[in-house]
């Protein structure tokens, strides 16, 4: 460390070994000393800075800030924990916290002693935290809107004695998708996990009644919520009226993507019942039908087909893969029966 005048060796050693950048400068902004931590923080060596202007580390647009600091020091004022931005030798900007004190010799202010601490990591954390809070607020409002729609539609489409049961089931279904998203830090949900968790919600264990087959796809948070609710409604209908309401019915749940020349990839989810009682389309659309036909289509910009066949319900969703999937499909496939 280069210094001015005779400095106590112990004090000089303390300054040199500090993890904080410790810099001294005169009232014109000319650097008088520059410790090793200042070199590590800003990239300039003592030879490059001592005897030269401190303005080398002041970004454009903040030059007046440094002149103000020097003016305050000249008046004898101390500046505590001043947070600002400084420029490294490689032009990268870093956030720093500064404490600046006047240097007095025989009672006369001759310069300033500056202690600088790099707070870039803390600032990055604060920015990420603010973004996270905005995202949580946005998602909370969306979730509350979904809950409100579930309550309103369930109340409108369900007999009074069944209202609380159906409402509870639908809210639990929504909770499943939220749990899966939380576990993945809201990056997306594995499609296989999404389906099997809904199966477990209906106490469908390891058996031959439901076959689950599809690639290892990760669906987006928005898609996971819409598809989770759709699978719930399909299961609820199958248990009450469809292939899972008797002892002989089966359900095939499958998903895949398509690659057609000159066409964007499509994500296809299909629910096919067989061996169940014939299901007839109801004249009055219930909440489940609204979810299966309108809500999922609107959420994913998808085409939805709902057929009532001799063997049971046949439901297919075709959505742009870009809207439904987080990542391109992995080159693996698995076939599992409903997990317990």
């Amino acid at each position: 460390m280069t210094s001015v005048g005779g400095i106590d060796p112990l004090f000089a050693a303390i300054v040199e070994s500090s993890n904080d950048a410790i810099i001294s400068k005169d009232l014109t902004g000319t650097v008088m000393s520059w410790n090793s931590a200042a070199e590590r923080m800003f990239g300039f060596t003592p030879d490059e800075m001592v005897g030269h202007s401190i303005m080398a580390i002041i970004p454009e647009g903040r030059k007046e800030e440094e002149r103000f600091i020097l003016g305050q020091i000249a008046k004898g004022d101390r500046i505590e924990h001043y947070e600002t931005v400084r420029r490294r030798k490689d032009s990268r900007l870093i956030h720093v916290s500064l404490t600046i004190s006047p240097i007095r010799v025989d009672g006369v202010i001759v310069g300033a002693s500056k202690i600088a601490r790099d707070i870039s990591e803390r600032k990055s954390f604060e920015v990420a935290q603010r973004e996270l809070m905005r995202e949580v607020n946005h998602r909370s409002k969306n979730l509350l809107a979904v809950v409100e729609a579930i309550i309103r539609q369930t109340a409108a489409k369900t007999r009074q004695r069944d209202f609380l049961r159906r409402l509870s089931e639908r809210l639990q279904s929504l909770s499943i998708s939220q749990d899966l998203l939380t576990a993945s830090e809201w990056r997306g949900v594995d499609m296989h996990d999404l389906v099997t968790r809904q199966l477990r919600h209906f106490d469908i264990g390891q058996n031959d009644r439901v076959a689950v087959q599809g690639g290892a796809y990760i669906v987006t948070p928005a898609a996971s919520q819409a598809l989770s609710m759709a699978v719930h409604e399909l299961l609820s209908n199958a248990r009450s009226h469809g292939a899972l309401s008797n002892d002989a019915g089966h359900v095939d749940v499958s998903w895949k993507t398509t690659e057609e020349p000159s066409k964007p990839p499509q994500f296809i989810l299909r629910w096919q019942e067989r061996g169940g009682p014939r299901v007839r389309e109801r004249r009055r659309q219930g909440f489940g039908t609204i979810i299966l036909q309108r809500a999922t289509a609107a959420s994913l910009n998808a085409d939805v087909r709902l057929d009532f066949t001799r063997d049971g319900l046949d439901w297919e969703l075709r959505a742009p893969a870009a809207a439904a999937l987080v990542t391109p499909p992995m080159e693996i496939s698995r076939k599992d029966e409903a997990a317990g």
Side-chain angles (χ1 to χ4, degrees):
M1 179 180 72
T2 305
S3 58
V4 175
I7 296 181
D8 180 85
L10 178 59
F11 175 73
I14 291 171
V15 170
E16 187 65 14
S17 63
S18 173
N19 288 325
D20 293 330
I22 300 178
I23 303 164
S24 64
K25 57 190 177 184
D26 65 20
L27 293 180
T28 68
T30 299
V31 175
M32 297 187 296
S33 66
W34 187 266
N35 72 344
S36 295
E39 181 177 354
R40 291 193 299 272
M41 186 178 297
F42 298 109
F44 292 98
T45 66
D47 288 343
E48 291 174 309
M49 289 303 298
V50 173
H52 299 277
S53 175
I54 194 69
M55 289 296 182
I57 66 169
I58 311 298
E60 292 300 326
R62 292 184 180 267
K63 304 293 186 182
E64 287 301 319
E65 176 186 287
E66 182 65 15
R67 295 187 183 99
F68 170 79
I69 290 173
L70 289 172
Q72 295 298 106
I73 292 297
K75 292 190 297 184
D77 293 339
R78 175 182 169 91
I79 298 174
E80 297 270 5
H81 307 301
Y82 181 74
E83 295 187 2
T84 185
V85 176
R86 291 294 180 256
R87 184 179 62 199
R88 285 175 44 84
K89 183 179 180 179
D90 60 10
S91 297
R92 181 166 60 88
L93 299 180
I94 60 173
H95 291 272
V96 295
S97 174
L98 305 177
T99 297
I100 310 167
S101 305
I103 298 175
R104 290 180 170 87
V105 176
D106 297 330
V108 178
I109 298 172
V110 297
S113 171
K114 175 188 295 186
I115 299 175
R117 178 167 295 173
D118 188 345
I119 58 171
S120 298
E121 186 175 343
R122 194 195 83 197
K123 284 293 185 180
S124 296
F125 174 78
E126 290 173 354
V127 170
Q129 191 175 45
R130 286 194 296 271
E131 291 176 353
L132 177 62
M133 291 306 298
R134 284 196 293 268
E135 184 66 16
V136 168
N137 182 55
H138 173 70
R139 288 172 178 169
S140 297
K141 288 180 178 179
N142 284 348
L143 183 60
L144 289 173
V146 172
V147 171
E148 181 184 9
I150 289 174
I151 293 172
R152 187 188 313 113
Q153 292 295 331
T154 302
K157 307 293 183 179
T158 308
R159 290 175 297 183
Q160 185 173 359
R161 63 185 176 88
D162 293 329
F163 171 71
L164 289 179
R165 176 182 61 82
R166 294 295 293 127
L167 177 60
S168 176
E169 289 176 351
R170 284 166 175 157
L171 292 180
Q172 287 178 43
S173 168
L174 186 61
S175 175
I176 288 171
S177 68
Q178 298 302 302
D179 287 344
L180 290 170
L181 284 168
T182 300
S184 72
E185 298 180 350
W186 281 80
R187 291 191 294 266
V189 173
D190 181 276
M191 189 64 202
H192 188 269
D193 291 342
L194 184 152
V195 173
T196 54
R197 282 290 297 273
Q198 290 294 343
L199 290 174
R200 286 202 296 270
H201 176 61
F202 282 86
D203 295 323
I204 299 175
Q206 186 97 7
N207 54 52
D208 295 328
R209 302 291 302 277
V210 179
V212 179
Q213 180 177 1
Y217 303 147
I218 305 297
V219 296
T220 66
S224 68
Q225 185 170 280
L227 296 177
S228 185
M229 292 182 66
V231 172
H232 170 84
E233 295 301 330
L234 289 164
L235 279 165
S236 178
N237 181 75
R239 285 287 292 265
S240 300
H241 312 288
L244 301 181
S245 66
N246 62 18
D247 295 329
H250 301 267
V251 176
D252 290 321
V253 186
S254 62
W255 56 89
K256 63 180 181 179
T257 57
T258 62
E259 294 282 353
E260 299 181 32
S262 72
K263 290 185 179 180
Q266 295 279 303
F267 172 74
I268 301 175
L269 172 62
R270 189 174 185 187
W271 173 283
Q272 188 174 21
E273 298 182 16
R274 48 194 173 83
R278 183 178 180 84
V279 181
R280 291 181 172 82
E281 185 173 4
R282 299 179 183 179
R283 293 180 181 177
R284 176 172 166 268
Q285 281 196 340
F287 179 66
T289 306
I290 292 173
I291 289 292
L292 294 174
Q293 287 189 308
R294 288 158 46 186
T296 50
S299 297
L300 299 174
N301 191 27
D303 293 323
V304 174
R305 176 177 58 80
L306 183 63
D307 293 330
F308 298 87
T309 71
R310 182 182 301 276
D311 284 336
L313 191 66
D314 191 346
W315 179 83
E316 183 180 271
L317 174 140
R318 286 177 173 259
L325 302 180
V326 172
T327 57
M330 297 168 62
E331 293 302 321
I332 62 174
S333 180
R334 57 188 174 188
K335 182 173 183 179
D336 299 300
E337 294 174 291

